[in-house]
Amino acid sequence: MQKAKWQNVTNNCTREQFLENVTKNPRFLYAALSAFSTEDTMALFESMGVKLKTERGRRVFPVSEKAIDIVNALRLYSSNAKKIYKKVSAIQRNDNDFTVVAGGEERLYDKVIIATGGKSYPLTGSDGSGYSLAIKLGHTVTELIPSLIPIVSHSPICKSMQGLSLKNVKISIKDEAEKILYSDFGEMMFAHFGVTGPVILSASAHLRNYNISSLTLSIDLKPALDEKTLDARLLSDFGKKSNKDLVNSLGDLLPSKMIEPFIALCGIDGRKKVNSITKEERKTILNTLKSFNIPLDGYRPIEEAIVTSGGIDVKEISPKTMESKLIDGLYFCGEIIDVDAYTGGYNLQIAFSTGYLAGKSAAESF
């Protein structure tokens, strides 16, 4: 199983840098990150034989670029633990212990850690059932919304370019007044439903408080070139291909799959000879290279989100132990807690850090 290019196991950064990338309740994570840092995560996987590498944005990947290597390492690490693979349907707090109902059977436990994830990726078991268990135990769950999720656009341009990845582009999300709400630089991809990829997923985390159907994605296809330099490049290319049709003259500037949609967005006849392109039309081409605009319409279903934003209210959890403030012996960790971050390995590290602290605290509380 090959990793997607924007998935990674952690981020090679300091605690302060990490917290700057947490979008909800970053201060809650201070003790957890102190207990088990990004360095600890990297050292653990290296000790299990998984060689790691750090790429752009401090993202940490297996050298093999195979996600299954991470999965296998974790399976081996936990192989000596006693595990029961049955879905939990109820948890009841007794005077001195908990009754856990799983697979129709009741079992007694001294401590319980709820680590069921959010509502994203339900095929993994992360189907939102943990929230119901927590609510029945008296906990509060904040509003659940998708984060780090692909964005829907009904523009036919996206579908015509589905599967096309763009690297080293600058994106801006603008409102109806052309105010820039978010910008980023990196990689994105077109899909039949709209747009996805690292910069798009990151953008989605910034837009939760906006009506996305009123926003526009603006892509600078040539961020390294200012308008004057890019115009000189256009003049040079057109001079070399003056007798060609416009549709056959942009191959040095654009991916082939993008040329016809690009020309359509410019509103110029693609069969027009380059030597007939007017100054105004060249200006339109220039502006579109610097601002390739796509209207946005919504988000994909929460089941396709990388993380669920929202969860158990952090006011009801001790940040120093991950233990419930309402019920002794009950702990939480991972995505079920109301904390989430941008893409870049931060959300997995939140799971590792809170999981470590919850386990350690539960074990030391006897």
Side-chain angles (χ1 to χ4, degrees):
M1 179 174 62
Q2 294 291 331
K3 71 172 178 65
K5 291 183 179 179
W6 47 86
Q7 292 177 339
N8 46 289
V9 70
T10 188
N11 194 283
N12 191 0
C13 64
T14 65
R15 182 177 56 201
E16 288 67 29
Q17 290 171 325
F18 190 101
L19 294 174
E20 289 173 358
N21 285 276
V22 178
T23 58
K24 291 196 72 179
N25 302 312
R27 292 176 62 86
F28 175 81
L29 293 170
Y30 193 90
L33 288 168
S34 299
F36 195 79
S37 66
T38 59
E39 289 183 354
D40 293 326
T41 296
M42 290 185 285
L44 176 62
F45 281 109
E46 291 274 1
S47 72
M48 292 190 287
V50 181
K51 298 299 182 183
L52 302 174
K53 62 179 179 178
T54 301
E55 296 187 354
R56 186 180 64 83
R58 306 185 302 260
R59 292 168 165 83
V60 178
F61 297 95
V63 170
S64 66
E65 298 195 349
K66 294 180 180 179
I68 195 64
D69 288 350
I70 297 294
V71 174
N72 287 339
L74 291 173
R75 283 174 175 162
L76 181 62
Y77 188 75
S78 62
S79 60
N80 292 326
K82 184 178 180 181
K83 299 180 285 291
I84 301 172
Y85 294 104
K86 294 181 179 179
K87 184 171 182 176
V88 174
S89 57
I91 301 173
Q92 178 183 317
R93 176 59 174 167
N94 307 318
D95 290 338
N96 299 309
D97 55 19
F98 294 86
T99 298
V100 177
V101 181
E105 299 179 1
E106 294 186 358
R107 297 174 181 271
L108 295 179
Y109 294 94
D110 296 306
K111 311 289 179 180
V112 169
I113 301 174
I114 299 182
T116 54
K119 291 186 70 176
S120 308
Y121 294 124
L123 291 177
T124 66
S126 178
D127 59 1
S129 58
Y131 301 122
S132 299
L133 296 172
I135 289 171
K136 290 176 181 177
L137 288 165
H139 274 278
T140 303
V141 175
T142 63
E143 181 185 9
L144 304 175
I145 59 175
S147 187
L148 302 183
I149 188 168
I151 297 178
V152 172
S153 172
H154 297 320
S155 170
I157 285 179
C158 294
K159 189 172 183 178
S160 69
M161 295 188 292
Q162 63 178 305
L164 173 65
S165 292
L166 299 178
K167 296 181 179 181
N168 302 319
V169 295
K170 179 182 178 181
I171 68 155
S172 299
I173 307 293
K174 300 179 180 180
D175 63 14
E176 293 174 308
E178 293 289 303
K179 178 183 177 182
I180 296 177
L181 307 177
Y182 176 77
S183 62
D184 199 359
F185 177 89
E187 182 179 352
M188 62 164 289
M189 185 172 70
F190 293 98
H192 68 281
F193 56 77
V195 287
T196 187
V199 295
I200 301 299
L201 299 178
S202 292
S204 71
H206 288 264
L207 304 177
R208 67 185 76 189
N209 296 322
Y210 297 94
N211 175 15
I212 194 168
S213 63
S214 66
L215 307 182
T216 298
L217 167 66
S218 180
I219 309 168
D220 184 345
L221 298 168
K222 299 296 174 183
L225 303 177
D226 59 29
E227 289 193 8
K228 183 178 179 180
T229 305
L230 184 55
D231 191 35
R233 168 73 182 275
L234 275 173
L235 282 171
S236 175
D237 284 3
F238 285 178
K240 298 173 184 176
K241 303 172 182 178
S242 61
N243 293 319
K244 289 190 175 184
D245 293 346
L246 178 61
V247 73
N248 296 321
S249 68
L250 297 175
D252 292 337
L253 282 170
L254 297 170
S256 58
K257 198 170 187 177
M258 192 177 202
I259 292 175
E260 290 195 13
F262 177 90
I263 293 174
L265 191 61
C266 291
I268 303 173
D269 182 359
R271 295 303 167 186
K272 190 171 185 178
K273 297 297 182 183
V274 169
N275 55 22
S276 299
I277 297 294
T278 66
K279 183 178 180 180
E280 290 73 20
E281 288 172 331
R282 192 179 82 245
K283 180 66 173 177
T284 297
I285 294 171
L286 172 64
N287 290 340
T288 307
L289 284 168
K290 298 297 288 182
S291 189
F292 188 85
N293 292 332
I294 297 173
L296 303 179
D297 294 289
Y299 300 104
R300 294 293 285 173
I302 192 170
E303 291 79 11
E304 296 183 24
I306 290 181
V307 297
T308 303
S309 180
I312 309 301
D313 193 329
V314 296
K315 295 176 183 178
E316 300 173 355
I317 304 172
S318 167
K320 294 182 179 180
T321 62
M322 297 295 125
E323 185 175 19
S324 166
K325 292 181 179 180
L326 309 182
I327 300 176
D328 292 344
L330 177 66
Y331 298 79
F332 297 97
C333 67
E335 195 174 339
I336 195 171
I337 304 173
D338 186 17
V339 287
D340 60 270
Y342 300 133
T343 184
Y346 303 105
N347 290 287
L348 270 178
Q349 182 62 47
I350 289 173
F352 295 146
S353 295
T354 57
Y356 174 86
L357 184 55
K360 182 173 183 289
S361 301
E364 292 178 349
S365 65
F366 286 100

